[in-house]
Amino acid sequence: MNPVKIETKYALELACASQRQNNAYLKSTQPVYSDEGSYLHTNYSNKTLILNTALGVDIEKVRVTVTEEDTALAEEIIKYFRRLIFHAVIGDNNFYTDLNIVLNKSEISSNEIGFIACLPSVYAREKLQSELKKAIRNLDDQALGDKDTIFFNLECEIINFKKSNNFDAINVEAIINNRLVSWFAKTEPKLGPAILLKGKVKEVRNSFKWKITETRLNYVKIAQ
């Protein structure tokens, strides 16, 4: 099929709708099977959903419907990335340079949809990092407590988590008493408020990532 033109803003709205429908950015279409190996359904890539909808492919569940929330998010994404135009101007970031070119076109080719499809995911990740940096800047550069101190029933805010590169565990970052704390967990927590039911100070160190004092906990139990 020869490439066709799609309105850039509409393509981004479809990208937002696809991200919402898949609840993630799926780069490729993948079949899903049961534990017994029986075919269940197919998870279609965001790009496929966008193209099928834009090109009018009439296949159920392989299309998306744009809502008011998707339209609003698309507008927010455009405004957000245009504020980062400086990166494109100085030419030190190929992604922003390419993004600047795409967002300044009224229409894009259907073979450029892959670039648009990932934008809601990139936006969510960058916005989270921006909010994290702002939260960290306002923290007290102090330890939560001395080594081996045990805490019970403290309010905390889980601000980030990520699979460890070196251990089979999830590294969790949180704020307690306006101080940065972290620990390993077996399962992913939810971002937001939690109660530290119990935690023991393993060590106090300087966070390599955030450059402030970090209190490392173990024997952690939380409630959400």
Side-chain angles (χ1 to χ4, degrees), residues 118-177:
C118 71
L119 283 186
S121 177
V122 174
Y123 166 75
R125 184 173 66 247
E126 295 212 1
K127 187 177 180 182
L128 175 61
Q129 286 301 308
S130 178
E131 292 172 349
L132 276 176
K133 290 177 182 177
K134 183 178 180 180
I136 295 296
R137 283 198 300 268
N138 293 324
L139 294 183
D140 297 326
D141 191 7
Q142 299 174 355
L144 181 65
D146 296 328
K147 188 177 184 300
D148 295 330
T149 302
I150 300 176
F151 294 97
F152 299 94
N153 300 323
L154 296 181
E155 294 183 357
C156 74
E157 181 82 11
I158 295 176
I159 58 174
N160 194 30
F161 60 84
K162 182 181 180 182
K163 180 73 170 63
S164 172
N165 294 327
N166 302 315
F167 301 94
D168 183 23
I170 307 297
N171 190 58
V172 181
E173 294 178 319
I175 297 172
I176 300 178
N177 293 345

Side-chain angles (χ1 to χ4, degrees), residues 22-168:
N22 280 338
N23 197 32
Y25 170 59
L26 301 184
K27 187 175 182 179
S28 60
T29 295
Q30 300 174 342
V32 178
Y33 299 93
S34 68
D35 293 337
E36 293 75 28
S38 300
Y39 171 79
L40 296 175
H41 58 86
T42 298
N43 288 333
Y44 292 95
S45 71
N46 295 39
K47 179 181 177 180
T48 297
L49 294 175
I50 294 168
L51 284 174
N52 283 353
T53 307
L55 301 179
V57 176
D58 190 17
I59 304 177
E60 187 180 2
K61 296 183 179 179
V62 195
R63 297 175 301 171
V64 292
T65 300
V66 174
T67 66
E68 292 182 0
E69 289 74 17
D70 297 326
T71 298
L73 178 57
E75 293 174 352
E76 188 176 335
I77 290 173
I78 291 172
K79 291 178 182 178
Y80 177 83
F81 282 114
R82 279 180 174 165
R83 287 197 296 268
L84 301 180
I85 190 65
F86 174 74
H87 294 282
V89 171
I90 62 176
D92 67 348
N93 188 305
N94 291 334
F95 174 79
Y96 287 123
T97 301
D98 294 341
L99 179 58
N100 178 50
I101 293 172
V102 170
L103 292 183
N104 278 289
K105 294 195 293 187
S106 60
E107 293 181 325
I108 62 171
S109 174
S110 55
N111 58 13
E112 296 177 295
I113 288 296
F115 190 83
I116 289 289
C118 71
L119 283 186
S121 177
V122 174
Y123 166 75
R125 184 173 66 247
E126 295 212 1
K127 187 177 180 182
L128 175 61
Q129 286 301 308
S130 178
E131 292 172 349
L132 276 176
K133 290 177 182 177
K134 183 178 180 180
I136 295 296
R137 283 198 300 268
N138 293 324
L139 294 183
D140 297 326
D141 191 7
Q142 299 174 355
L144 181 65
D146 296 328
K147 188 177 184 300
D148 295 330
T149 302
I150 300 176
F151 294 97
F152 299 94
N153 300 323
L154 296 181
E155 294 183 357
C156 74
E157 181 82 11
I158 295 176
I159 58 174
N160 194 30
F161 60 84
K162 182 181 180 182
K163 180 73 170 63
S164 172
N165 294 327
N166 302 315
F167 301 94
D168 183 23

